[in-house]
Amino acid sequence: MPETIWWKTGTVYQVYPRSFQDTNGDGVGDLPGITARLEHLAWLGVDAVWISPFYRSPMADFGYDVADYRAVDPLFGTLEDFDALIAEAHRRKLKVILDFVPNHSSIAHPWFAESRASRENPKRDWYLWRDPAPDGGPPNNWLSNFGGPAWTRDEASGQYYYHAFLAEQPDLNWRNPEVRAAMHDVLRFWLERGVDGFRVDVIWHLIKDEGFRDNPQNPDFAPHQPGINRFSQVYSCDRPEVIEVISGMRAVLREFGERVLIGEIYLPVERLVTYYGPDLEAADLPFNFQLLETPWQADAVAALVAEYEAALPEGGWPNWVLGNHDRPRIAARVGDAQARVAAMLLLTLRGTPTLYYGDEIGLGHVPIPPDRVQDPWERNEPGHGRDPVRTPMQWDDSRHAGFSAVEPWLPQTEDAERRNVDAMRDDSRSILTLYRRLLSLRRDHPALSVGGWRNVPLPPSLATEVFAYERFEGDETLRILLNFGSVERSIPLEDDAAKQETWSVLLSTRPGRAGEATGNVLHLSPDEGVVLRAHPSS
Ligand code: GLC
C-alpha cells in the first residue's frame, strides 16, 4: 500500500524570509511578502513551505537568536500577518512549517535575564552555567561554531555560560524539565495557530555531556577549516539522551495529528539515522545533508545514495536536501549545466525533497563586497560566511528584481535582468521550467513519490560519469540516468534480456526529448539527465 502522508509524498520549499519579498520598502523581506508570493509556490508545484525564523530577535544571527518565541519581529510584520499567511497557504493547499530554535535563545530573552540575575535565581538552571577552570579560564575546551571559545564569563557571578554559537545565543539546558515544558508550550502556541510542522534548529546539539568533558582533538583538522573542527564534537553534541528529548517534542506535535518534525542534523549517515529513534518515535525526517557534503561525481553520489538507503531503519522515511541558508548554493558549486542534473537527482530520489528558494532559477554565487558583509560568522572567520547564499529572490527585470523598491540588504546576481522568475517562467529551456516539470512528474508518478529505489549497475568505464537508478511502483518502472560529466555517453539499456523492455524518454534536462523512443542504447548528451519509462515489449 503506497504511502500517502503529506510529508512523505510532498516537496518542501525553504524560504529565508529576509530575502523572499519586501513589501514595506526597507530592503528586507517580510511575512506579507511571503503571502504575496505563495502563488509562485503553488504554480511551481511544491507542497509545503518552511520559513526560517521570523520571531522577535535582536538579529545577531538573523533571527536564530530568539528573544520571544511567541512574537513576530516587527521587521517581518505582526502575528496577524502570520495568521493571514497561514490562511492563504492553506487555501492554496500548501502546508506551513516553522523553524523552531530550541537549543539557544537570544541573550535578550527575559529567561536569560532572569537566569543571569543571580546564582539563586529560579531560572539559573535554565541555561548552562559553570565555574571557571582552576586557572580562571573557560570550564572546558568546547568551541563556538562561529569561532572562538563557546564560553563567556559573566562578571556579576563570576561563572561562565555556554553558547554553541554566538555569545548572544546562550544554550538552554534541556535536561531541565521546566525548560522542556516551556518549550512544549511554545510548540502548542504555533500548532494551535495551524502550523503543519517544525524544522528544529541544531537538534543534535540539544543535550550536552553531563560531565562537560573536553572534546578530543580532531586528527583530520586542516587549517582552512573553521576553528570548530579542531576538536571532534563528541561531548558537546550528539549525546544519546537527545533522542528522548526529540520524542517528547514529537509527542506534542502528534497531539495535533499528522504534523511533521524535521531535525537539522549534520552527522555521518550511521549517526544520522539513529535520530529516527529506536521505535521511529523521534524525528520524522532527520535532515539528510549528504548531497551537500559529497564531491559532485557520479560514483561518489551513487555510493552515498546506496549507503543511505541501506542505513535507513525499517519504516524510516528518507529525505534529500541540495541547499539551504548555511551552505553554498548548488549552482555555485557545480555550475549551471550540472545544476539541472542536480535538480533531476533531488526530485527523483526516494524520499521527501527540500528545495531552497532561488535554486529553481539557478541562483549562483553572489560576491559580497566587504562593506556589505552581514553574517557575523564572516566577521569572525572570513571566508566561511553565509551571505552569498542568502541573497534576495529575483522575480522580474525591474530594479532590484522585483524584490524591493529600495536597495536590498544583500546584492543580487549580475544577470538578474535575465535570471528571474518572470523571464524564465515561459521559457521552455529554463531551469525554472525544468523544476516545474520535475515536480509535476513526481506528483503524477507514484513510482517517484512513493515507489522503491534500486541502483542500476553500469560498466566501470561509465560508472565514474553516469549515475543510473530505477524507481518502481506497481506496474511502473522508471529509470533515471544522470550524466555528471561533460562528454557524451552511450548507455546500453538491456541489462535483462528476459524482460524485453523498451524505453521512452519521459523528461530530459535537455528540452525537446520527451516522448523519444530510445532503442537499446541511450545517447546522453554532456551534462544531461533523463527519466525513462519502461514499456514491456510483448
Ligand atoms: C542552524 C541554522 C543557522 C544558525 C545556527 C544557530 O545551523 O541553520 O543558520 O546560524 O543554527 O542557530
Side-chain angles (χ1 to χ4, degrees), residues 12-15 20 34 37-51 89 92 94-95 355 357 360 393 395 425 436 439 443:
V12 179
Y13 182 103
Q14 180 189 359
V15 165
F20 207 52
I34 299 174
R37 293 296 186 183
L38 289 174
E39 193 267 326
H40 170 68
L41 303 194
W43 171 84
L44 188 60
V46 299
D47 301 273
V49 53
W50 148 35
I51 310 172
R92 293 180 179 276
L94 290 166
K95 305 282 186 187
L355 264 70
Y357 87 93
E360 77 271 37
M393 185 60 177
W395 298 103
R425 222 179 130 113
R436 186 159 181 254
L439 283 159
R443 201 173 280 257

Side-chain angles (χ1 to χ4, degrees), residues 9 23 49-50 61 86 107 135 199 265 337 389 406 452 459:
T9 55
T23 60
V49 53
W50 148 35
D61 188 20
I86 202 164
I107 198 167
D135 66 357
R199 170 267 189 192
I265 302 158
V389 308
V406 302

Side-chain angles (χ1 to χ4, degrees), residues 17-23 27-30 37 392-396 398-410 412:
R18 293 182 70 86
S19 294
F20 207 52
Q21 178 67 54
D22 173 23
T23 60
V28 175
D30 44 50
R37 293 296 186 183
M393 185 60 177
Q394 300 176 175
W395 298 103
D396 58 39
S398 65
R399 211 166 133 77
H400 313 309
F403 166 72
S404 174
V406 302
E407 182 64 32
W409 74 293
L410 281 173
Q412 294 168 298

Side-chain angles (χ1 to χ4, degrees), residues 322-346:
L322 260 188
N324 62 35
H325 62 294
D326 295 323
R327 295 294 164 124
R329 281 205 179 260
I330 185 69
R333 270 180 66 205
V334 304
D336 280 344
Q338 281 295 316
R340 300 172 74 97
V341 173
M344 185 168 274
L345 174 74
L346 175 72

Side-chain angles (χ1 to χ4, degrees), residues 116 153-159:
R116 183 179 221 170
R153 187 162 183 270
D154 186 49
E155 292 308 322
S157 68
Q159 283 194 312

Side-chain angles (χ1 to χ4, degrees), residues 210-517:
E210 205 157 20
F212 287 84
R213 283 171 279 182
D214 277 348
N215 280 324
Q217 297 271 354
N218 170 13
D220 301 324
F221 176 70
H224 68 271
Q225 295 176 358
I228 182 77
N229 291 4
R230 282 179 188 284
F231 299 98
S232 304
Q233 310 297 303
V234 192
Y235 294 117
S236 47
C237 44
D238 191 27
R239 304 305 302 163
E241 303 96 309
V242 75
I243 299 301
E244 191 232 316
V245 170
I246 300 172
S247 306
M249 278 184 203
R250 230 275 297 267
V252 175
L253 266 63
R254 289 296 195 268
E255 293 167 13
F256 294 79
E258 202 49 61
R259 313 290 168 106
V260 69
L261 192 155
I262 306 174
E264 186 202 20
I265 302 158
Y266 284 94
L267 287 173
V269 170
E270 75 275 8
R271 292 298 313 143
L272 175 67
V273 294
T274 65
Y275 282 73
Y276 287 97
D279 304 311
L280 303 183
E281 275 175 14
D284 294 309
L285 300 175
F287 253 152
N288 167 13
F289 296 130
Q290 306 304 313
L291 290 174
L292 305 178
E293 318 238 295
T294 304
W296 197 251
Q297 290 157 12
D299 44 1
V301 172
L304 90 85
V305 175
E307 184 200 357
Y308 177 69
E309 281 280 349
L312 286 167
E314 203 181 327
W317 189 252
N319 77 91
W320 295 96
V321 178
L322 260 188
N324 62 35
H325 62 294
D326 295 323
R327 295 294 164 124
R329 281 205 179 260
I330 185 69
R333 270 180 66 205
V334 304
D336 280 344
Q338 281 295 316
R340 300 172 74 97
V341 173
M344 185 168 274
L345 174 74
L346 175 72
L347 293 171
T348 58
L349 283 174
R350 190 174 80 90
T352 309
T354 299
L355 264 70
Y356 184 47
Y357 87 93
D359 280 353
E360 77 271 37
I361 54 170
L363 284 188
H365 181 76
V366 184
I368 309 293
D371 62 332
R372 293 196 67 178
V373 167
Q374 302 276 347
D375 188 3
W377 191 4
E378 181 67 21
R379 296 211 186 89
N380 291 351
E381 296 190 299
H384 296 295
R386 300 158 295 176
D387 295 328
V389 308
R390 298 173 172 182
T391 63
M393 185 60 177
Q394 300 176 175
W395 298 103
D396 58 39
D397 64 1
S398 65
R399 211 166 133 77
H400 313 309
F403 166 72
S404 174
V406 302
E407 182 64 32
W409 74 293
L410 281 173
Q412 294 168 298
T413 67
E414 273 180 6
D415 60 356
E417 238 170 72
R418 279 170 291 120
R419 192 178 289 283
N420 62 67
V421 172
D422 224 27
M424 296 171 122
R425 222 179 130 113
D426 298 320
D427 177 353
S428 63
R429 294 155 310 161
S430 73
I431 186 165
L432 180 58
T433 300
L434 176 66
Y435 262 103
R436 186 159 181 254
R437 288 193 180 139
L438 282 164
L439 283 159
S440 132
L441 202 67
R442 201 178 162 88
R443 201 173 280 257
D444 292 347
H445 292 268
L448 290 178
S449 54
V450 296
W453 176 91
R454 67 179 156 242
N455 185 56
V456 174
L458 293 176
S461 59
L462 284 172
T464 51
E465 299 290 331
V466 178
F467 179 22
Y469 50 94
E470 286 183 348
R471 301 295 315 279
F472 49 92
E473 174 64 31
D475 294 341
E476 186 171 59
T477 300
L478 305 179
R479 183 174 293 186
I480 293 95
L481 295 146
L482 304 172
N483 188 354
F484 281 59
S486 50
V487 174
E488 183 181 310
R489 299 284 166 183
S490 299
I491 322 283
L493 291 176
E494 272 192 346
D495 56 339
D496 180 354
K499 275 204 205 154
Q500 293 273 309
E501 285 160 338
T502 62
W503 300 86
S504 66
V505 177
L506 262 185
L507 184 62
S508 164
T509 57
R510 224 162 40 99
R513 265 195 104 166
E516 187 183 306

